Amino acid sequence: MITPQNAIQPDVWQNINPQLSISNSLDGIGSDAADVASSGGFDPSSLSDRFWDEGYFLIEDILPIDELAMLRRGIENLVANDLPPAMIYLYDEAWQVFMRLRPLLSHFLGDRIALLPHFWAWHVDPGEDGRGWPPHRDYQGESAIGDEMVISLSLWVPLSTAMPENGCMYVLPRSFERTYGHPVTKPQDVPLQDVRALPAKPGTVMGWRQDLYHWGGRASKHATEPRMSLSLEFQNAAFDPLAQQLLALDRPPVFLERLELIAAQFEKYTHMQSIGPEVVAWAKAIMNECRANRAG
């Protein structure tokens, strides 16, 4: 694994993924991220109907698969170098995926969109008993006001084909949960027939309100490919911040800020997946190196 001292050098990461870019300034990061959704890539009416009824949406063929393929290769290269998939967020293209979706985000969150400092990337390996995150809600409070205004939203993007065999996403539609008379607090509360699998291919975008109960599946050892995916969370900035640090959608952090932000995710998510103490210690050491570099 790259040492914390070497991790603060952009060239180290660039050498691992030469097909991707790392900008040293804000200029140009979003220059290639055209709003693909503005060209008729989704039907707002049908999306809203499902979203307000069931708590999620799924849109196919909205993102360019050639760019997603570069990110998939990026995660494969990171894993081959014994590095966590979440380090893919060091590269501009990972942020550009979500910058492309501004019209979609604006449809649900309005024009004042902020990124929450909560994000992750997955490489669910069938050969290593891989699995996604266990059943959870991204936010324990209300993420919408009535059936008209969204406070916070999660987006999930597959980089490989996600299917039940390799651990695709599963949700409990809110239309089912509303009939229970009480909110679900543990998996045993969910009737199995109410569980919905959401297979998805590259080019797809999935989104859900942050109080939706959802999880990633466990991969079969017979699956033919790992499940690779990205996720980022957003909020309507007209409401009080849901995190101490909010980020701008059109001005993602520059390299050292990204690195420190990514490193901060590891300890945060140890309750969601198996992250060894040595990886957490490595991430903390990187955070210290970033702070020392800024101070110097």
Side-chain angles (χ1 to χ4, degrees):
M1 190 173 286
I2 292 172
T3 67
Q5 294 74 28
N6 287 338
I8 63 173
Q9 304 299 325
D11 289 349
V12 171
W13 301 98
Q14 196 70 77
N15 290 337
I16 293 173
N17 276 309
Q19 81 282 6
L20 301 175
S21 59
I22 298 175
S23 295
N24 291 321
S25 70
L26 292 171
D27 295 335
I29 290 179
S31 60
D32 296 327
D35 292 333
V36 294
S38 64
S39 60
F42 69 99
D43 176 3
S45 177
S46 62
L47 278 189
S48 294
D49 289 346
R50 163 156 274 179
F51 181 82
W52 290 113
D53 181 36
E54 298 192 325
Y56 75 94
F57 59 80
L58 188 153
I59 319 170
E60 296 182 332
D61 302 322
I62 194 173
L63 288 170
I65 59 174
D66 55 339
E67 295 184 17
L68 299 178
M70 288 197 303
L71 287 166
R72 171 178 175 155
R73 191 158 73 252
I75 288 182
E76 290 171 339
N77 290 342
L78 289 168
V79 171
N81 282 273
D82 198 28
L83 291 162
M87 305 313 292
I88 196 68
Y89 286 100
L90 284 174
Y91 303 96
D92 300 341
E93 288 81 0
W95 300 91
Q96 288 172 351
V97 166
F98 297 96
M99 293 168 70
R100 285 180 172 275
L101 298 171
R102 174 178 280 280
L104 176 63
L105 289 163
S106 295
H107 175 70
F108 288 103
L109 297 172
D111 292 332
R112 296 180 59 189
I113 302 165
L115 277 66
L116 290 160
H118 310 148
F119 53 89
W120 201 244
W122 290 264
H123 181 280
V124 177
D125 190 341
E128 297 181 2
D129 194 31
R131 65 193 73 190
W133 282 2
H136 67 284
R137 304 179 198 271
D138 291 333
Y139 179 60
Q140 294 302 317
E142 290 291 333
S143 69
I145 297 178
D147 290 339
E148 297 180 352
M149 190 169 295
V150 183
I151 300 173
S152 59
L153 183 74
S154 297
L155 291 186
W156 189 88
V157 172
L159 302 179
S160 63
T161 300
M163 52 193 133
E165 288 81 1
N166 66 359
C168 72
M169 295 302 300
Y170 292 80
V171 300
L172 171 64
R174 285 178 53 82
S175 54
F176 295 162
E177 186 176 14
R178 281 195 293 266
T179 67
Y180 299 169
H182 57 84
V184 166
T185 59
K186 56 186 182 301
Q188 294 87 334
D189 295 338
V190 182
L192 292 181
Q193 286 184 306
D194 290 353
V195 171
R196 182 169 300 161
L198 298 178
K201 61 184 180 179
T204 299
V205 173
M206 200 179 302
W208 50 80
R209 48 188 288 168
Q210 290 206 295
D211 53 6
L212 181 76
Y213 200 62
H214 66 283
W215 58 97
R218 179 175 175 177
S220 164
K221 66 180 181 180
H222 302 291
T224 56
E225 64 176 327
R227 188 261 277 176
M228 286 172 271
S229 52
L230 306 175
S231 180
L232 201 58
E233 302 180 13
F234 305 82
Q235 82 156 82
N236 182 336
F239 294 92
D240 291 339
L242 299 180
Q244 187 174 9
Q245 178 188 13
L246 297 181
L247 307 171
L249 176 61
D250 55 351
R251 293 177 65 83
V254 293
F255 173 71
L256 277 181
E257 294 172 353
R258 290 185 207 182
L259 182 59
E260 184 175 352
L261 191 60
I262 295 165
Q265 306 303 306
F266 288 88
E267 187 172 30
K268 182 192 304 182
Y269 291 136
T270 52
H271 68 295
M272 300 302 288
Q273 73 177 61
S274 177
I275 301 175
E278 70 284 355
V279 176
V280 174
W282 175 76
K284 287 182 177 179
I286 288 177
M287 292 173 67
N288 291 333
E289 288 291 331
C290 291
R291 292 165 183 167
N293 185 276
R294 284 206 312 272

